[in-house]
Every structure is written in C-alpha cells, then in structure tokens.
Amino acid sequence: MGQLKFGQGLLIVCCIFYLIWWAVAFHPSQGDGHTAGKNGILLIITAVFGLAGLAMTMLGIINKPPANGFATRTGLVSGITIIAVGVIAYVVLLLGSKVLLHRMVTSELFLIVGWTMLEIAAINRAFTKSGVSYQNAKLFIAIVAVAAVLSLFFYLQYYRVKPMTGYIFGMIPLVTEASTMVVFELIVR
C-alpha cells in the first residue's frame, strides 16, 4: 500500500503545482508566455512531481502481493478492461470533441482520461491487497467518475466561454482530481 499512497501523495502535490502554474501562467492578462521564466520553472516542478507520482503509483499497481499462503482477492475489474475502456473512451472523446464539437484537442484530454484509468487501477490494486473495503472501493470509483465527468465538462467549455471564465474553468479539474486523490489517501489503509 505504501507505494500506492506515496504515488497518490506525489500526484496531489503535482496538482497543487499545476494549479499554481495555471493560476500564474494562464491568467487572461498574462499573454502566451506559459513556459517562459517562472512559468517554466513551475511547469518543470509540476512535471517532476507528476512523473514521480505516476511512477510510484504504477509500481504500486503492478507490484503483486507476495505469495505468503494467504489468498488475495481478485480485482473489481481486470487491468485489460481498464486499459481497453480507457483507450476507447479517449478515441471517442478525441473524435467527438474535434469532429462534433469543433474543439481544439489539448493534452488535458489525455491527462483526464489517463488519470481516470490510473485511479481506477490504483483502487483496484488496493482492493486486491485488502487495503480498502468493497464498499469504499465502489464509492471511490463513483467519485472518480464524477470527477472525470466534471473535468471533461469544464475541458469542453474552456474555449466557449469568456477568457476569465475559462481561466477559472481550467482550475476546476485540478481541484477535483486532487480532492479525489485525498479521498484515496483517507480510505486506503
């Protein structure tokens, strides 16, 4: 459980720095220098915490419990299913947002779908290691689903609203994702 929880903690810190970077670099009065100077430094810090959190969480997901004579639970869903649904969802959302909604596709779509897959895989592994109850695992998946839908909504609205509203809309997914991972930290033992 330690790797999963540590990875989630690093991802929470990543979201905090991402939020700070967004608040500084994307303010409507700021212009287009999103990666120059202090903005670039904040982006690098964000990326370091994000990659470290992703790596630790992935290690926790792929690290099978030791065979100690005790039966481990099977997961709530197979890893292949998580990957397949995530890839299909990404392709549908990519095409839907580009073709049907005529929205420029940005890296945030990939991050939202990838984060959703990661969180479901993390709670799935925590369940197999008896680190979370069945009820709490189901609750967490529901929270992840709500966070993902909210994030997608605000992602799709970003270019349809006034710059200041879009600026605020861009922050909401970071808050929902960080809050969701705080829930993970609280329910997984």
Side-chain angles (χ1 to χ4, degrees), residues 9 14 64 69 75 99 109 115 149 151 158 165 176:
C14 169
K64 296 200 184 227
V99 175
L109 180 61
W115 173 83
V149 169
S151 295
Y158 179 76
T165 303
T176 60

PDB file of all heavy atoms in Angstrom, residues 9 14 64 69 75 99 109 115 149 151 158 165 176:
ATOM      1  N   GLY A   9       0.099  10.690  -3.125  1.00  0.00           N
ATOM      2  CA  GLY A   9       0.538  11.918  -2.463  1.00  0.00           C
ATOM      3  C   GLY A   9       1.349  12.806  -3.385  1.00  0.00           C
ATOM      4  O   GLY A   9       1.158  14.029  -3.422  1.00  0.00           O
ATOM      5  N   CYS A  14       1.594  17.379  -7.291  1.00  0.00           N
ATOM      6  CA  CYS A  14       1.625  17.751  -8.710  1.00  0.00           C
ATOM      7  C   CYS A  14       0.425  18.640  -9.041  1.00  0.00           C
ATOM      8  O   CYS A  14       0.579  19.678  -9.702  1.00  0.00           O
ATOM      9  CB  CYS A  14       1.621  16.497  -9.590  1.00  0.00           C
ATOM     10  SG  CYS A  14       1.335  16.816 -11.344  1.00  0.00           S
ATOM     11  N   LYS A  64       2.734  -7.127  -7.396  1.00  0.00           N
ATOM     12  CA  LYS A  64       1.794  -8.131  -6.879  1.00  0.00           C
ATOM     13  C   LYS A  64       2.126  -8.434  -5.428  1.00  0.00           C
ATOM     14  O   LYS A  64       3.280  -8.436  -5.024  1.00  0.00           O
ATOM     15  CB  LYS A  64       1.873  -9.394  -7.715  1.00  0.00           C
ATOM     16  CG  LYS A  64       1.433  -9.146  -9.140  1.00  0.00           C
ATOM     17  CD  LYS A  64       1.058 -10.422  -9.812  1.00  0.00           C
ATOM     18  CE  LYS A  64       0.728 -10.072 -11.233  1.00  0.00           C
ATOM     19  NZ  LYS A  64      -0.425 -10.583 -11.762  1.00  0.00           N
ATOM     20  N   GLY A  69       0.916 -17.630   1.358  1.00  0.00           N
ATOM     21  CA  GLY A  69      -0.026 -18.650   1.788  1.00  0.00           C
ATOM     22  C   GLY A  69      -1.438 -18.126   1.958  1.00  0.00           C
ATOM     23  O   GLY A  69      -2.374 -18.892   2.091  1.00  0.00           O
ATOM     24  N   GLY A  75      -9.380  -8.541  -8.389  1.00  0.00           N
ATOM     25  CA  GLY A  75      -9.743  -7.139  -8.542  1.00  0.00           C
ATOM     26  C   GLY A  75     -11.211  -6.955  -8.875  1.00  0.00           C
ATOM     27  O   GLY A  75     -11.919  -7.895  -9.235  1.00  0.00           O
ATOM     28  N   VAL A  99     -14.407  16.542 -33.965  1.00  0.00           N
ATOM     29  CA  VAL A  99     -15.288  16.494 -35.126  1.00  0.00           C
ATOM     30  C   VAL A  99     -16.669  17.070 -34.823  1.00  0.00           C
ATOM     31  O   VAL A  99     -17.177  17.915 -35.558  1.00  0.00           O
ATOM     32  CB  VAL A  99     -15.408  15.045 -35.654  1.00  0.00           C
ATOM     33  CG1 VAL A  99     -16.405  14.948 -36.788  1.00  0.00           C
ATOM     34  CG2 VAL A  99     -14.047  14.522 -36.094  1.00  0.00           C
ATOM     35  N   LEU A 109      -7.099  16.533 -22.331  1.00  0.00           N
ATOM     36  CA  LEU A 109      -7.989  15.393 -22.573  1.00  0.00           C
ATOM     37  C   LEU A 109      -7.270  14.087 -22.257  1.00  0.00           C
ATOM     38  O   LEU A 109      -7.811  13.213 -21.582  1.00  0.00           O
ATOM     39  CB  LEU A 109      -8.496  15.389 -24.016  1.00  0.00           C
ATOM     40  CG  LEU A 109      -9.441  14.239 -24.375  1.00  0.00           C
ATOM     41  CD1 LEU A 109     -10.697  14.282 -23.524  1.00  0.00           C
ATOM     42  CD2 LEU A 109      -9.788  14.288 -25.857  1.00  0.00           C
ATOM     43  N   TRP A 115      -5.657   9.915 -16.096  1.00  0.00           N
ATOM     44  CA  TRP A 115      -5.824   9.996 -14.647  1.00  0.00           C
ATOM     45  C   TRP A 115      -6.960   9.093 -14.185  1.00  0.00           C
ATOM     46  O   TRP A 115      -6.841   8.377 -13.188  1.00  0.00           O
ATOM     47  CB  TRP A 115      -6.085  11.449 -14.219  1.00  0.00           C
ATOM     48  CG  TRP A 115      -6.424  11.563 -12.768  1.00  0.00           C
ATOM     49  CD1 TRP A 115      -5.540  11.606 -11.721  1.00  0.00           C
ATOM     50  CD2 TRP A 115      -7.733  11.597 -12.198  1.00  0.00           C
ATOM     51  NE1 TRP A 115      -6.238  11.671 -10.529  1.00  0.00           N
ATOM     52  CE2 TRP A 115      -7.579  11.671 -10.799  1.00  0.00           C
ATOM     53  CE3 TRP A 115      -9.012  11.576 -12.732  1.00  0.00           C
ATOM     54  CZ2 TRP A 115      -8.667  11.731  -9.933  1.00  0.00           C
ATOM     55  CZ3 TRP A 115     -10.092  11.628 -11.870  1.00  0.00           C
ATOM     56  CH2 TRP A 115      -9.912  11.709 -10.489  1.00  0.00           C
ATOM     57  N   VAL A 149     -16.183  13.268 -15.174  1.00  0.00           N
ATOM     58  CA  VAL A 149     -17.254  13.935 -15.931  1.00  0.00           C
ATOM     59  C   VAL A 149     -17.166  15.447 -15.747  1.00  0.00           C
ATOM     60  O   VAL A 149     -17.277  16.216 -16.717  1.00  0.00           O
ATOM     61  CB  VAL A 149     -18.640  13.392 -15.525  1.00  0.00           C
ATOM     62  CG1 VAL A 149     -19.766  14.250 -16.082  1.00  0.00           C
ATOM     63  CG2 VAL A 149     -18.801  11.948 -15.994  1.00  0.00           C
ATOM     64  N   SER A 151     -14.501  17.181 -14.982  1.00  0.00           N
ATOM     65  CA  SER A 151     -13.297  17.627 -15.678  1.00  0.00           C
ATOM     66  C   SER A 151     -13.536  17.728 -17.178  1.00  0.00           C
ATOM     67  O   SER A 151     -13.120  18.706 -17.815  1.00  0.00           O
ATOM     68  CB  SER A 151     -12.137  16.667 -15.406  1.00  0.00           C
ATOM     69  OG  SER A 151     -11.799  16.695 -14.046  1.00  0.00           O
ATOM     70  N   TYR A 158     -14.042  25.220 -22.035  1.00  0.00           N
ATOM     71  CA  TYR A 158     -12.955  26.194 -21.914  1.00  0.00           C
ATOM     72  C   TYR A 158     -12.937  27.224 -23.044  1.00  0.00           C
ATOM     73  O   TYR A 158     -12.821  28.428 -22.795  1.00  0.00           O
ATOM     74  CB  TYR A 158     -11.604  25.465 -21.837  1.00  0.00           C
ATOM     75  CG  TYR A 158     -10.427  26.397 -21.733  1.00  0.00           C
ATOM     76  CD1 TYR A 158     -10.129  27.033 -20.538  1.00  0.00           C
ATOM     77  CD2 TYR A 158      -9.618  26.663 -22.837  1.00  0.00           C
ATOM     78  CE1 TYR A 158      -9.055  27.896 -20.436  1.00  0.00           C
ATOM     79  CE2 TYR A 158      -8.545  27.527 -22.743  1.00  0.00           C
ATOM     80  CZ  TYR A 158      -8.265  28.142 -21.543  1.00  0.00           C
ATOM     81  OH  TYR A 158      -7.216  29.005 -21.444  1.00  0.00           O
ATOM     82  N   THR A 165     -13.641  33.393 -17.374  1.00  0.00           N
ATOM     83  CA  THR A 165     -14.411  32.202 -17.008  1.00  0.00           C
ATOM     84  C   THR A 165     -13.634  30.948 -17.388  1.00  0.00           C
ATOM     85  O   THR A 165     -13.565  29.984 -16.610  1.00  0.00           O
ATOM     86  CB  THR A 165     -15.793  32.226 -17.704  1.00  0.00           C
ATOM     87  OG1 THR A 165     -16.466  33.431 -17.349  1.00  0.00           O
ATOM     88  CG2 THR A 165     -16.632  31.028 -17.292  1.00  0.00           C
ATOM     89  N   THR A 176     -10.734  18.981  -8.543  1.00  0.00           N
ATOM     90  CA  THR A 176     -11.494  17.729  -8.400  1.00  0.00           C
ATOM     91  C   THR A 176     -10.558  16.526  -8.353  1.00  0.00           C
ATOM     92  O   THR A 176     -10.779  15.607  -7.553  1.00  0.00           O
ATOM     93  CB  THR A 176     -12.536  17.547  -9.523  1.00  0.00           C
ATOM     94  OG1 THR A 176     -11.886  17.522 -10.786  1.00  0.00           O
ATOM     95  CG2 THR A 176     -13.577  18.638  -9.493  1.00  0.00           C
TER      96      THR A 176
END
